[in-house]
Amino acid sequence: SSRTNEPLHNKMANDVNGNAVQVTEEDDPMDTSCSVTHTEHYKALIEAGLPQKVAERLDEIFQTDLVSFDDLDERALDALREFKEDGACAVLQQFQESDLSHVQNKSAFLCGVMKTYRQREKQGNKVQDSTKGPDEAKIKSLLDRTGYTLDVTTGQIGRA
């Protein structure tokens, strides 16, 4: 094919314009190592001062069409740059896992994710631990020892 050396985004543009481009195994190896395909915005992320690992992670998110480069303003990129590499990647992971279907300002939403992450970091909690509830084994042991149940009576509801 005469188009094998074109960047991927050109191939995608050709697909959209009705010129079906056959992508062969040679053009698109299933290699998930560092030789990933970048969007045209990857260079801008690096130039904005983001660490390579963070720029690659954000670029991967752009490729999922969850958010586009134009959705993020300078303020969000500046705030992301202030994080350590691992923290920034954790924030981006959480951002990617969020339901953004009704989010109009994705940049502000990302800033909110970063703010929450920072607050949890200050409290000494890892972000993943925030949803952890009580230890079920300890509760069961307490109930067995006392003979109590976890049932709530109507008398207790009035005092709650």
Side-chain angles (χ1 to χ4, degrees), residues 39-129:
T39 68
E40 66 269 29
H41 302 297
Y42 174 73
K43 191 176 176 203
L45 295 173
I46 294 291
E47 286 170 1
L50 290 174
Q52 182 179 346
K53 189 174 167 187
V54 178
E56 283 178 0
R57 189 78 190 83
L58 192 51
D59 201 50
E60 284 170 27
I61 294 172
F62 292 157
Q63 291 179 43
T64 65
D65 288 334
L66 184 74
V67 64
S68 72
F69 179 77
D70 298 328
D71 287 335
L72 301 182
D73 60 24
E74 206 173 303
R75 207 181 44 150
L77 295 178
D78 287 346
L80 195 58
R81 199 172 48 229
E82 291 172 22
F83 279 87
K84 292 189 180 111
E85 204 169 83
D86 290 346
C89 287
V91 163
L92 290 174
Q93 181 67 35
Q94 195 176 340
F95 178 69
Q96 186 175 12
E97 289 170 359
S98 302
D99 177 16
L100 301 175
S101 57
H102 299 293
V103 176
Q104 291 183 337
N105 187 340
K106 294 184 171 99
S107 208
F109 186 86
L110 178 59
C111 287
V113 172
M114 289 187 272
K115 184 176 181 181
T116 305
Y117 185 88
R118 273 205 191 92
Q119 287 170 341
R120 289 190 180 142
E121 219 176 24
K122 276 183 190 157
Q123 294 166 358
N125 297 342
K126 289 278 180 242
V127 178
Q128 291 81 5
D129 295 343

Side-chain angles (χ1 to χ4, degrees), residues 9-21 65:
H9 64 274
N10 286 355
K11 287 184 184 178
M12 288 178 187
N14 288 338
D15 272 350
V16 172
N17 296 334
N19 307 328
V21 176
D65 288 334

Side-chain angles (χ1 to χ4, degrees), residues 15-31:
D15 272 350
V16 172
N17 296 334
N19 307 328
V21 176
Q22 202 60 39
V23 178
T24 63
E25 284 299 319
E26 294 163 49
D27 292 348
D28 190 16
M30 297 302 268
D31 181 16

Side-chain angles (χ1 to χ4, degrees), residues 29-38 52 56 60:
M30 297 302 268
D31 181 16
T32 55
S33 69
C34 288
S35 62
V36 289
T37 308
H38 299 300
Q52 182 179 346
E56 283 178 0
E60 284 170 27

